[in-house]
Amino acid sequence: MIPIKGSLDFVVHHDQRIILMGWLETGDKCNQRIFLHGAQDIEIMPEDSAWYFRRDVNTSLNAEDEIKRGFVFAFPDNALKNEALVFVVGDDDDEKQWFKKNIDPHQIRKIEALSDTEADFIGNIFQDKSAKRHQFRNRIEMSIDHFFWLSDHCFVVSGGIDTEGHFGKNGAFSVIAGNEKISPSSIIYGEREDLKDDSKIMTDTDFILIVEVGPERGRKDLDRLQLQVRDKNHVGYAQLTLKEKLTLKEKSKILLSHIDLDSGKFFSVFDGGIGLALSALWDQIYASDDLKIDIKEYGNPPADPKVSLIVPLYGRIDLIMYQMSIFANDPDFLKHAQLIYVLDDPRQYKSVWEYVEALYPVYRVPLKLIRYDKNLGYAKANNIGARHATANILILMNSDVMPKTVNWVSQSLKIFEVLENVGAAGIKLLYEDQTIQHQGMVFERLPALDNAWVNIHPGKNMSDTGHNKKTVAVPAVTGAFLMTPKSIYDAVGGLDEGYILGDFEDSDYCLKLYEKGYLTYYIPRIEMYHLERQSQSMVDTLRNKKKITLFNCWKHFFRWNDTIEKVTKEYNNEQ
Amino acid sequence: MSSERILIISLGHPDFSKGGSEIAAYHFYEEMNKRGLDTYFLAAHNYPNIHRKENRSSYLSEKEILFYTQMNNFFLFQTDDWYAVWHDFKNLLNHIKPTIVQFHHFLHLGIEMIRETKNYAIDNNVDVKIVLTFHEYALICANNGQMIKTGSNELCSRYNPIACSVCFPDKGPADFLLRELFFKSIIDVVDIFVCPSHFLMERYINWGVDQQKIVMIDNGQEAVEKLPKRKLVDGERRCRFTYIGQINPFKGLDVLLNALDYLDENMLQQVQIHVYGSGLSNQTDPYRKTIKKLCKTYKKNVRMFGRYQNEDLPEILQETDWVVMPSIWWENSPLVIQESLKYGRPLLVSNIGGMAEKVTDGKNGLHFPKNNPAALARVIKQAMNDRGLYDTLYQNIETPLTIQESTMQYLNLYGIKT
């Protein structure tokens, strides 16, 4: 083994670069790494390099070959302060054979400070055809808005590139971690909604990157990173430093901010990686491994209830009062129903308990109050409620659903129990003005949404002309009021917990049942009010809520496309 | 003697608050006690200085209880500290052990008291008759139970959650439907509803109260002798018009004063308007200014007497020919009408709601289209010019239902034979 020979002739600081010139004889070593080692243990890789033939080197080495031993390396200077550097060339095998050269900060010179002789020397080198061909890339400005880890092996970078009109959307991003270069798994360009109206930054191209480092690689030693973007003629750098402590929901908001609601291209954005990233985030938000569940029981519920009502609570807990006040007048309800409230709203962990404590003595509807100090979403709240239900029939009910009459428990059971192959059933739900809120759901393709299947409530907000009281099979029913046998619910794992907040779980559930051979019915004889959206106060902005709906729709669409086609065809044939 | 124990519940005690429903409720209490019935009177109050922390009740006499509450939710008629209120109320029921609970209101008390009464009956396995008397459209309309539109003060004739949220833009239709469902679920435990006017009763039936469970019993008045007609000096006409009652935009004093604009000089030489009642200082600036300006313009015709005491009423009415009630809201069974009729004074009233029901046009008074000063001016002219008319109307006035009669109707309802 022969150590690497070489010489470092000049170190020049010019145009945000540290340019090194000299020559190297590396022999048979073809896997050398070339880097500058900074004082803070940073390894910087060259952004540009050129090799050229040097006769003087050949002469001194007594070599007669044509090998290009002369080099020009350009290193970005943005990670460096005025500090001692070491120029290192070597391979992984044996550090003893590496070429190392200390660079004192004083040695680094400005081009204009070079002596005539030195300038001549450089001039000579650059006269060489091969060297002359080489042009450094233009620097472009890149700024980082957010940098955060999604998981232990995946992080997100968002920011903007000041393109000045020259830089397209074809740049290659790479994250430089020491001597490694990692390419992002997704690159999404776009205009961020929140910056759209700011004309000053109109020249910016916004981007969001999702970078997968792999589970084995992990997060270790990846706290000092540099992002590079380059195309043929440009290169830009930015340091990635973890400075903000973001909550998971804030991270979700950042991801959502890159979905432009006006662009109509949501699905490609979800496909491009944001969808999976959101899924991963919300899995963490909804993580419930260490969940502490508190259960309080009030009154003496029926020992052998025929139905278990599961009512998740989020936002308006005062709706409990209205429901209890109505249930209290229905002896049939008190005789046959087990009432389970599930608080899915950590902000009201204490107040909901105080509220029920105060309400119960007056309204006296026996109930089970399940609380936990997290927000786990609609599906999980129902699934937790179902675990504590003892009746054979579950009724998933929203807190803003109000019965119109008494005896509805027995009446709906009487109908439900004789339905053929029943998996789930819904009822007629009405708005405040007696118009239809729900009479079963169907699926329709929405051209504005990449032709995706969406859930439609036929006749919604129209006056109730349906005098047909016959129970019929429908493609799906709303989760605002959904009856289902507990055995089936348990067998299919309840509602899918992969949707965010609460959307599409109901149709997802009905489709799941369909796959297993069960039918979903609509029972028009039972009527209740559904004061839609009173039960959930908006998470943040309406637009963000809409984006979350789109995400859920995307997820639902890709999972169920084929099944929906089948269900819809069957349903239409029967109509 | 009946073994029933009656608890009459009022939103206030007439010693401190002289509203029609407080006075009516107290009359019943007095009359029932007079008849040897074991009757209690419970009135809400909000004077923090007289309420002891550990108990909400203070006693004015052995059977007159003041009950401390602070109502903060006028939309749902709930008190601030609902749990404590129900709890203390329950203790009070356990202490009094009533067999009949007569609610004359739920305002200031908290509407859940009605359900708590039912709970008391269930807990003690006793029959308790729960009777609720409506005194205005409180359950139907969130605008002070007046069934007039906010802003425009137009009359409203039916409850509708969509229309209601137009009146209250900070609330949605769902809020009103919830309010309705909540109230209906609470009053589900009431055995009988009473309305002091047919008009009010119709409104509650339209709103959804079971027709079989609601009856009309008017509030009774003390039995007194009709006052003689006011003595006229030579050539004088029946030109004394008196307004009695609170001064606020719904009561329409401005309508009456504006009517003067439509009277000619000859009429204005004689017409006198006496105003008894307070409340002007609590009104909005524009309304105060309107009234003050009209008083100034017609300073020869209008005299403001301010607050009056009930015992002064005979004197006031002795100097009166006509009582005018120009309300622009429906009213129910206004005390002013009953008192005027009791003392033998014909009325000029707006032709709507409880006023039109209690005063028959051409029999014991005259009607005019509500909120119409020109029409009122025509009626005033008629009242002054048609000399025979006054005598006829005066003659026709029948003694209104007495407290005794009204009480008998209630006792009948309670199933108490006397």
Side-chain angles (χ1 to χ4, degrees):
Chain A
M1 289 290 194
I2 308 156
I4 299 168
K5 280 188 238 167
S7 159
L8 180 60
D9 301 328
F10 284 102
V11 184
V12 181
H13 194 184
H14 178 59
D15 191 21
Q16 299 174 57
R17 292 173 175 87
I18 293 172
I19 303 161
L20 272 59
M21 281 178 289
W23 62 267
L24 285 167
E25 167 56 31
T26 56
D28 55 353
K29 297 180 184 65
C30 46
N31 293 324
Q32 327 87 322
R33 296 198 288 117
I34 296 159
F35 58 93
L36 274 183
H37 194 108
Q40 293 162 319
D41 213 22
I42 300 176
E43 290 181 6
I44 303 157
M45 303 213 290
E47 66 175 50
D48 272 309
S49 59
W51 295 89
Y52 61 98
F53 181 73
R54 269 178 70 168
R55 193 162 303 283
D56 62 323
V57 174
N58 271 33
T59 308
S60 72
L61 290 173
N62 285 325
E64 307 226 330
D65 51 27
E66 298 279 307
I67 292 172
K68 295 171 180 174
R69 295 187 172 87
F71 66 80
V72 180
F73 294 138
F75 295 90
D77 69 350
N78 48 339
L80 299 172
K81 302 201 180 70
N82 191 21
E83 59 187 32
L85 301 168
V86 187
F87 173 54
V88 183
V89 183
D91 63 12
D92 287 339
D93 295 346
D94 188 357
E95 210 179 312
K96 280 180 200 150
Q97 296 173 6
W98 288 8
F99 176 83
K100 285 190 186 177
K101 193 87 186 167
N102 289 325
I103 303 168
D104 192 274
H106 305 293
Q107 257 181 287
I108 303 174
R109 304 156 76 178
K110 300 259 183 275
I111 284 247
E112 51 276 20
L114 296 176
S115 73
D116 291 347
T117 328
E118 289 159 344
D120 284 349
F121 179 65
I122 293 173
N124 283 335
I125 294 168
F126 277 94
Q127 273 167 19
D128 183 280
K129 274 184 191 166
S130 56
K132 211 174 180 183
R133 248 195 341 206
H134 185 77
Q135 292 270 327
F136 289 129
R137 290 180 173 86
N138 288 323
R139 282 299 176 112
I140 51 172
E141 293 296 322
M142 176 161 62
S143 61
I144 301 298
D145 296 322
H146 298 288
F147 164 53
F148 57 87
W149 288 83
L150 268 183
S151 66
D152 275 344
H153 50 84
C154 181
F155 62 83
V156 171
V157 183
S158 75
I161 304 163
D162 185 1
T163 62
E164 291 169 345
H166 304 303
F167 189 83
K169 290 183 175 178
N170 306 311
F173 284 93
S174 41
V175 173
I176 302 162
N179 49 42
E180 277 179 78
K181 266 192 174 185
I182 309 163
S183 298
S185 46
S186 323
I187 304 168
I188 296 128
Y189 286 106
E191 270 176 63
R192 270 172 56 196
E193 277 201 329
D194 51 339
L195 301 177
K196 233 188 217 171
D197 300 330
D198 196 339
S199 57
K200 269 186 291 191
I201 45 181
M202 276 305 278
T203 57
D204 265 19
T205 298
D206 292 299
F207 63 86
I208 184 162
L209 312 174
I210 298 167
V211 185
E212 190 62 60
V213 297
E216 321 82 52
R217 175 69 182 77
R219 198 170 157 169
K220 216 160 43 106
D221 305 330
L222 284 183
D223 41 354
R224 258 196 317 245
L225 301 172
Q226 200 176 26
L227 180 66
Q228 183 195 62
V229 63
R230 58 196 280 179
D231 68 2
K232 220 172 129 214
N233 302 315
H234 306 79
V235 64
Y237 292 91
Q239 287 306 118
L240 300 178
T241 33
L242 279 176
K243 40 186 180 199
E244 14 172 34
K245 196 113 181 90
L246 294 167
T247 65
L248 293 167
K249 285 198 179 169
E250 284 164 340
K251 290 177 183 175
S252 159
K253 225 180 260 182
I254 291 165
L255 291 179
L256 289 173
S257 73
H258 286 268
I259 297 161
D260 181 359
L261 277 183
D262 303 329
S263 76
K265 292 180 299 193
F266 337 99
F267 278 22
S268 60
V269 175
F270 288 126
D271 286 343
I274 295 233
L276 285 174
L278 276 168
S279 285
L281 255 182
W282 282 85
D283 279 349
Q284 291 174 60
I285 292 173
Y286 287 161
S288 56
D289 300 339
D290 54 346
L291 196 67
K292 282 195 195 72
I293 291 180
D294 175 80
I295 302 175
K296 302 244 183 300
E297 304 216 27
Y298 295 85
N300 300 312
D304 189 16
K306 289 187 176 166
V307 298
S308 292
L309 253 78
I310 301 166
V311 187
L313 297 168
Y314 183 85
R316 285 191 63 174
I317 56 169
D318 65 310
L319 293 168
I320 302 173
M321 180 186 75
Y322 298 96
Q323 286 192 330
M324 277 178 84
S325 187
I326 292 168
F327 295 153
N329 293 336
D330 185 354
D332 176 63
F333 179 96
L334 298 173
K335 196 172 162 196
H336 298 305
Q338 174 189 42
L339 177 59
I340 301 172
Y341 283 105
V342 185
L343 181 78
D344 188 41
D345 188 347
R347 296 167 303 178
Q348 317 214 51
Y349 186 78
K350 189 160 172 275
S351 54
V352 74
W353 174 51
E354 291 168 344
Y355 194 59
V356 174
E357 284 285 323
L359 282 174
Y360 181 76
V362 184
Y363 294 100
R364 300 181 171 190
V365 179
L367 64 93
K368 208 179 262 192
L369 174 65
I370 299 178
R371 300 184 298 163
Y372 42 80
D373 198 12
K374 285 200 89 172
N375 172 228
L376 300 178
Y378 176 76
K380 233 169 199 166
N382 274 299
N383 290 346
I384 289 170
R387 285 209 288 277
H388 295 90
T390 56
N392 290 334
I393 307 285
L394 300 180
I395 295 178
L396 313 185
M397 189 172 183
N398 283 6
S399 55
D400 56 0
V401 168
M402 303 289 158
K404 282 186 87 176
T405 53
V406 292
N407 291 329
W408 61 268
V409 172
S410 290
Q411 284 166 8
S412 50
L413 270 178
K414 206 175 138 198
I415 299 169
F416 187 82
E417 278 164 351
V418 296
L419 292 174
E420 200 181 327
N421 230 357
V422 62
I427 58 166
K428 184 186 286 180
L429 296 172
L430 300 170
Y431 282 119
E432 308 84 53
D433 57 359
Q434 316 294 326
T435 57
I436 294 289
Q437 194 276 325
H438 171 267
Q439 48 184 4
M441 293 199 296
V442 298
F443 301 103
E444 273 178 23
R445 285 191 185 274
L446 199 63
L449 210 62
D450 297 351
N451 231 16
W453 289 106
V454 293
N455 298 355
I456 300 286
H457 287 217
K460 187 164 177 161
N461 227 329
M462 309 275 232
S463 60
D464 176 17
T465 53
H467 302 297
N468 194 346
K469 301 284 185 204
K470 204 170 157 257
T471 299
V472 287
V474 288
V477 292
T478 178
F481 184 105
L482 188 149
M483 286 179 92
T484 188
K486 186 166 192 299
S487 54
I488 294 179
Y489 189 87
D490 291 343
V492 300
L495 298 184
D496 187 283
E497 297 177 3
Y499 295 94
I500 304 179
L501 299 178
D503 224 345
F504 292 95
E505 297 92 340
D506 42 15
S507 50
D508 183 284
Y509 182 73
C510 296
L511 291 165
K512 223 155 51 167
L513 297 189
Y514 176 84
E515 296 268 89
K516 303 256 175 206
Y518 295 109
L519 293 175
T520 297
Y521 289 91
Y522 163 58
I523 305 175
R525 234 172 243 288
I526 309 294
E527 292 183 12
M528 293 192 188
Y529 289 110
H530 182 202
L531 312 175
E532 205 186 14
R533 301 288 171 207
Q534 293 291 324
S535 59
Q536 33 177 294
S537 44
M538 298 291 124
V539 175
D540 25 72
T541 61
L542 215 68
R543 282 180 87 79
N544 264 355
K545 168 73 181 140
K546 197 168 171 194
K547 289 174 183 177
I548 286 173
T549 303
L550 287 172
F551 164 83
N552 289 332
C553 180
W554 168 78
K555 189 161 187 149
H556 185 259
F557 172 45
F558 283 103
R559 178 179 296 171
W560 294 116
N561 187 26
D562 298 345
T563 312
I564 292 174
E565 217 146 281
K566 246 171 28 191
V567 172
T568 304
K569 214 179 212 168
E570 274 176 31
Y571 176 73
N572 288 341
N573 286 343
E574 275 169 32
Q575 287 292 295
Chain B
M1 184 49 63
S2 168
S3 61
E4 304 282 8
R5 183 171 290 161
I6 304 162
L7 171 62
I8 291 176
I9 298 179
S10 166
L11 67 101
H13 194 286
D15 281 5
F16 315 111
S17 150
K18 287 231 174 344
S21 84
E22 295 94 310
I23 292 171
Y26 195 72
H27 281 158
F28 290 124
Y29 160 71
E30 285 184 317
E31 182 61 27
M32 288 174 191
N33 254 332
K34 232 182 263 174
R35 288 166 181 266
L37 294 163
D38 190 5
T39 311
Y40 285 76
F41 187 71
L42 183 144
H45 77 88
N46 61 358
Y47 305 107
N49 54 325
I50 61 167
H51 118 266
R52 296 181 201 94
K53 284 281 173 295
E54 59 277 14
N55 195 328
R56 288 174 181 270
S57 308
S58 312
Y59 287 72
L60 277 182
S61 72
E62 194 195 332
K63 290 182 168 182
E64 280 173 87
I65 304 156
L66 296 180
F67 193 78
Y68 176 74
T69 64
Q70 287 280 5
M71 177 160 279
N72 68 329
N73 186 344
F74 285 91
F75 190 67
L76 295 178
F77 301 118
Q78 287 183 321
T79 62
D80 217 2
D81 192 5
W82 32 328
Y83 174 68
V85 171
W86 307 337
H87 187 258
D88 284 7
F89 180 62
K90 189 166 121 184
N91 285 343
L92 199 65
L93 290 175
N94 282 322
H95 176 64
I96 297 174
K97 298 186 172 52
T99 57
I100 294 161
V101 177
Q102 164 71 57
F103 285 91
H104 273 280
H105 224 296
F106 30 78
L107 191 67
H108 302 312
L109 294 158
I111 193 161
E112 295 88 351
M113 280 193 168
I114 297 173
R115 189 178 280 284
E116 194 57 70
T117 306
K118 186 71 183 175
N119 288 340
Y120 159 78
I122 294 167
D123 290 349
N124 294 284
N125 199 19
V126 289
D127 280 335
V128 177
K129 192 167 271 182
I130 303 175
V131 184
L132 171 61
T133 300
F134 294 122
H135 288 274
E136 70 291 276
Y137 314 89
L139 295 186
I140 305 173
C141 172
N143 188 16
N144 295 315
Q146 295 198 296
M147 294 198 78
I148 50 178
K149 308 275 187 189
T150 59
S152 70
N153 288 342
E154 291 285 320
L155 291 174
C156 174
S157 49
R158 64 181 175 140
Y159 158 80
N160 178 295
I162 303 287
C164 290
S165 58
V166 173
C167 268
F168 293 89
D170 61 325
K171 294 205 177 336
D175 294 309
F176 287 95
L177 181 75
L178 285 172
R179 184 181 190 266
E180 176 201 340
L181 295 177
F182 176 60
F183 288 162
K184 284 183 175 168
S185 68
I186 292 278
I187 63 168
D188 194 59
V189 302
V190 172
D191 296 295
I192 307 167
F193 301 93
V194 179
C195 290
S197 74
H198 288 289
F199 187 80
L200 189 76
M201 189 166 81
E202 282 308 313
R203 287 288 160 103
Y204 272 100
I205 290 170
N206 287 340
W207 181 68
V209 172
D210 182 358
Q211 204 160 347
Q212 306 299 316
K213 285 171 79 174
I214 194 164
V215 296
M216 200 292 271
I217 302 178
D218 205 347
N219 301 321
Q221 292 299 313
E222 273 171 272
V224 295
E225 287 294 307
K226 245 193 225 184
L227 295 169
K229 286 182 265 186
R230 182 175 72 92
K231 284 209 173 68
L232 303 181
V233 294
D234 279 350
E236 197 192 6
R237 290 186 272 180
R238 292 283 166 199
C239 61
R240 289 269 180 89
F241 298 85
T242 300
Y243 172 97
I244 301 170
Q246 284 278 315
I247 298 174
N248 63 45
F250 312 120
K251 292 283 183 183
L253 176 60
D254 53 321
V255 179
L256 172 59
L257 299 184
N258 271 319
L260 295 173
D261 276 346
Y262 299 88
L263 295 179
D264 57 30
E265 267 313 304
N266 177 31
M267 303 289 292
L268 288 176
Q269 288 290 324
Q270 286 208 10
V271 72
Q272 286 292 312
I273 292 175
H274 292 181
V275 179
Y276 291 89
S278 56
L280 185 59
S281 55
N282 301 330
Q283 300 309 315
T284 58
D285 258 1
Y287 192 74
R288 267 206 325 267
K289 276 188 188 141
T290 307
I291 296 294
K292 286 201 166 147
K293 200 173 149 213
L294 284 165
C295 288
K296 207 172 153 197
T297 311
Y298 296 105
K299 58 176 181 254
K300 281 188 186 147
N301 305 92
V302 181
R303 288 187 65 188
M304 305 285 279
F305 291 88
R307 190 183 288 275
Y308 71 99
Q309 297 298 316
N310 228 35
E311 48 269 31
D312 301 334
L313 216 50
E315 241 173 89
I316 294 170
L317 291 177
Q318 185 57 66
E319 291 308 307
T320 294
D321 297 316
W322 309 88
V323 173
V324 188
M325 183 155 211
S327 289
I328 62 166
W329 79 286
W330 304 103
E331 298 280 358
N332 166 30
S333 177
L335 200 56
V336 174
I337 292 180
Q338 298 208 333
E339 283 175 329
S340 304
L341 295 177
K342 171 173 81 175
Y343 287 113
R345 289 294 174 265
L347 292 108
L348 312 185
V349 299
S350 307
N351 63 344
I352 52 168
M355 294 174 285
E357 178 179 328
K358 304 292 175 185
V359 175
T360 309
D361 192 25
K363 189 188 166 214
N364 51 5
L366 298 171
H367 288 184
F368 57 90
K370 62 109 196 167
N371 207 4
N372 187 338
L376 174 53
R378 277 198 301 278
V379 173
I380 288 174
K381 238 184 269 179
Q382 185 194 0
M384 282 170 65
N385 290 343
D386 187 346
R387 284 162 197 267
L389 177 66
Y390 188 83
D391 294 344
T392 316
L393 297 178
Y394 178 83
Q395 284 306 323
N396 283 347
I397 293 173
E398 289 166 8
T399 318
L401 192 72
T402 63
I403 294 169
Q404 289 76 13
E405 290 165 336
S406 179
T407 304
M408 285 295 289
Q409 293 184 22
Y410 265 99
L411 294 181
N412 201 20
L413 201 66
Y414 299 162
I416 296 176
K417 298 211 164 45
T418 53

